[in-house]
Amino acid sequence: MKRWFERQRYFMDFAIASLARGKVKNTSLVLCYALVVFLIASVLFFSASIRHEAVSVLENSPEILVQKVMAGRYAPIPLEYAEKIGEIPGVRRVVGRLWGYYFHPAAGANYTVMVPTEEEIADDTAQVGLGVVRTWRVADGGMIRFKAYDGTAVALAVKQAFGAETELFTSDLILISETTFGKIFGIPEAMATDLAVTVRNPREWRSVAEKIVRVAPDVRAITREEIQRTYASIFDWRSGYVLVLWAGAVLAFLIFAADRASGMGAREKNEIAILKAVGWETSDVLSLKFWEGLIVSSSAYLIGVIAAYFHVFFFPAPLFEHALKGWSVLYPKFAAAPVFDLYDLAAVFALAVVPYSFISIVPAWKAAIADPDAVTRFS
Amino acid sequence: MRNSTIFIIFAATMMLILGFLLIVHPAVSSSEYQKRTSANRQVVERLGLTDICLFTEAGYTRHVTQSDLFSAFRDHPGAREHLPSGSMFGPPPRFEKQIPSRNMEK
């Protein structure tokens, strides 16, 4: 066994010396290869972290939400629906929620404006998230002005209510009182944006949701389970950006492998012929080529995965910010929780390292079985 | 020093760093993230939040779970999905039965 290890080390020595002869070419190859691994690993790290964070935190979202749909669009829901729904067995509580969106032209950002159901807020005050403070350029204690539905201005004193740790969920939130909400959006009294239904027994969620739709046929019921399932599939490989990135990475790995499979140039054929002439076995040549491939691909894999880890978990994935932000102005600043799936890393390893290490064996074998005299004479 | 020794040292160092990042770092920072998760859960429960604030471009991207299949196309008849973040996620799973291409496959 010791002899086998020592033999492999000699192959490694020789493979590295051979790679070092094309230092610039092979260094660039490792860096490009590492960049592809970095990109795909960054996406995997980021998406696993966001999925985990969203699914685990949204365990506490409302059990069932009821939206009124009119002509295929949402419409405010009359609070009398709450009474009908409240009579369904298993329903503990039905609360009307008031929330909506406000676009501030000067900041160019969309904000979520909400009325909290559990607490009172003074009519002249707005409790805001950090993203609002940043994009509206207002400090704690300053004033923000809304243009109401009837054209009047509504000025509110700002209170920064949420810290950096909840920014992923509260960055664009503006909490105001029910009276102020009515003043800004003009929603009629006895109407709500939607209804939050409390059903304690998770096994009853689905049946209660079905009963709600039977009691009020013009509504749609969304269960907590559906909310969590939506986020469990976010950044799914079929979604546009991720599909393009995966396709690009797979193609890049294929190109690297194809280049290696077909790239047995005259110099390498000559080298193999000389090795055969001085007494190397065909299996030795194949081992040498395997080690060359493994050294390049495993180095690129390790560099790429480590760089991706730092990119996502130590910095807030700055390369993705642009894509995630899209045309929006407001983007939360948050550190992704270090959660990942080892299966994903194994898949990238299988894709990046295995084909590249083994693909050159066939052309190397073809070169190794050729007559050394003929190869060296005609090269 | 032999070439193989240099590579083995390099590979071992990288694997140690990777091992530290994949095993030690999550364990060390877990208390901080648990604290954050707990704070987020409290806010979500208190305010009845349903979505993460990652894509604030439009209502249907900000509140993905509350959207419908028409949200992206309601600007005008024949409007196509035009916001970059709209391609980060598929439609909420409850709409799967309503997606024509899926039904045609069946």
Side-chain angles (χ1 to χ4, degrees):
Chain A
M1 196 66 175
K2 196 181 168 194
R3 192 164 170 271
W4 185 86
F5 275 114
E6 199 50 39
R7 197 175 151 80
Q8 298 307 315
R9 284 199 63 183
Y10 282 120
F11 285 134
M12 281 171 75
D13 286 335
F14 201 94
I16 294 165
S18 175
L19 289 169
R21 279 197 287 278
K23 205 175 281 177
V24 177
K25 182 193 160 207
N26 288 317
T27 309
S28 325
L29 174 68
V30 170
L31 290 179
C32 290
Y33 211 127
L35 184 65
V36 179
V37 174
F38 164 80
L39 270 177
I40 204 73
S42 292
V43 171
L44 291 173
F45 282 142
F46 187 79
S47 51
S49 177
I50 289 288
R51 266 198 300 269
H52 175 267
E53 183 111 14
V55 172
S56 64
V57 170
L58 292 174
E59 272 177 10
N60 287 23
S61 62
E63 284 97 1
I64 299 175
L65 283 163
V66 179
Q67 298 172 339
K68 181 173 163 63
V69 181
M70 188 183 278
R73 294 187 165 205
Y74 313 132
I77 187 164
L79 285 176
E80 66 199 49
Y81 279 53
E83 290 161 24
K84 281 195 276 183
I85 293 167
E87 288 166 9
I88 295 172
V91 172
R92 288 276 181 89
R93 189 167 161 237
V94 185
V95 180
R97 303 194 319 156
L98 287 168
W99 63 278
Y101 302 107
Y102 183 80
F103 177 73
H104 183 44
N110 280 312
Y111 302 100
T112 302
V113 184
M114 262 190 124
V115 177
T117 51
E118 306 281 330
E119 58 198 271
E120 289 290 318
I121 292 181
D123 288 346
D124 58 351
T125 305
Q127 295 186 3
V128 302
L130 275 176
V132 181
V133 172
R134 255 195 324 268
T135 53
W136 208 309
R137 295 172 196 276
V138 63
D140 197 12
M143 298 294 283
I144 54 175
R145 284 170 184 79
F146 291 86
K147 189 179 174 187
Y149 73 102
D150 57 0
T152 57
V154 177
L156 301 172
V158 167
K159 187 184 169 211
Q160 188 196 308
F162 306 105
E165 58 185 6
T166 62
E167 193 161 355
L168 188 57
F169 290 83
T170 62
S171 192
D172 72 335
L173 275 191
I174 299 177
L175 302 183
I176 56 176
S177 73
E178 192 175 336
T179 314
T180 314
F181 191 90
K183 264 190 212 167
I184 295 173
F185 296 105
I187 191 162
E189 275 189 32
M191 299 283 254
T193 310
D194 55 22
L195 302 175
V197 180
T198 307
V199 181
R200 283 289 170 219
N201 185 354
R203 282 178 294 185
E204 288 182 337
W205 291 350
R206 185 160 293 196
S207 65
V208 170
E210 286 166 4
K211 283 174 191 163
I212 289 172
V213 178
R214 275 206 292 274
V215 168
D218 59 343
V219 302
R220 194 169 63 196
I222 302 167
T223 62
R224 182 192 286 173
E225 189 197 0
E226 286 173 345
I227 291 174
Q228 288 182 298
R229 272 176 60 210
T230 301
Y231 279 100
S233 66
I234 196 167
F235 299 118
D236 184 73
W237 69 271
R238 288 167 297 184
S239 57
Y241 265 101
V242 181
L243 181 63
V244 168
L245 269 171
W246 264 111
V250 169
L251 274 177
F253 290 136
L254 282 177
I255 291 168
F256 285 135
D259 176 60
R260 185 157 170 76
S262 61
M264 194 68 72
R267 193 183 67 83
E268 277 179 299
K269 282 182 183 164
N270 211 18
E271 186 183 319
I272 290 172
I274 292 169
L275 292 175
K276 290 281 297 199
V278 297
W280 282 46
E281 297 284 335
T282 302
S283 62
D284 297 338
V285 174
L286 299 187
S287 295
L288 175 68
K289 289 294 155 190
F290 168 74
W291 275 111
E292 276 183 12
L294 188 67
I295 286 164
V296 168
S297 55
S298 61
S299 303
Y301 177 80
L302 288 168
I303 294 168
V305 172
I306 290 170
Y309 194 98
F310 276 98
H311 171 233
V312 173
F313 298 130
F314 285 84
F315 306 98
L319 289 181
F320 295 152
E321 183 178 332
H322 224 66
L324 295 171
K325 212 171 166 182
W327 292 349
S328 61
V329 169
L330 194 150
Y331 181 75
K333 291 194 186 307
F334 67 99
V339 178
F340 44 83
D341 193 343
L342 284 177
Y343 173 80
D344 289 341
L345 289 182
V348 176
F349 182 86
L351 200 61
V353 177
V354 178
Y356 193 83
S357 302
F358 286 97
I359 199 104
S360 62
I361 286 180
V362 175
W365 175 74
K366 277 186 182 167
I369 57 168
D371 178 16
D373 180 51
V375 174
T376 48
R377 193 182 296 272
F378 295 112
S379 63
Chain B
M1 197 185 284
R2 287 172 64 176
N3 284 336
S4 57
T5 312
I6 295 170
F7 178 73
I8 288 168
I9 291 172
F10 164 77
T13 310
M14 296 300 268
M15 280 194 262
L16 270 177
I17 294 172
L18 190 60
F20 173 83
L21 292 176
L22 298 184
I23 298 163
V24 182
H25 177 246
V28 169
S29 51
S30 68
S31 61
E32 183 193 331
Y33 288 108
Q34 273 170 10
K35 203 173 128 197
R36 196 178 79 183
T37 304
S38 160
N40 278 323
R41 278 185 181 157
Q42 280 174 18
V43 168
V44 165
E45 187 164 20
R46 181 164 64 91
L47 299 175
L49 303 181
T50 53
D51 289 85
I52 54 174
C53 173
L54 200 54
F55 316 109
T56 59
E57 286 179 298
Y60 71 91
T61 58
R62 170 64 179 91
H63 290 97
V64 185
T65 63
Q66 308 299 300
S67 65
D68 58 36
L69 275 182
F70 318 106
S71 301
F73 310 101
R74 62 167 54 146
D75 286 352
H76 56 82
R80 302 301 300 265
E81 161 64 76
H82 54 278
L83 295 174
S85 58
S87 62
M88 299 284 177
F89 44 82
R94 68 176 180 279
F95 291 122
E96 276 177 0
K97 284 181 193 162
Q98 293 179 31
I99 300 172
S101 61
R102 304 253 171 103
N103 291 334
M104 280 164 72
E105 279 168 20
K106 286 169 194 168

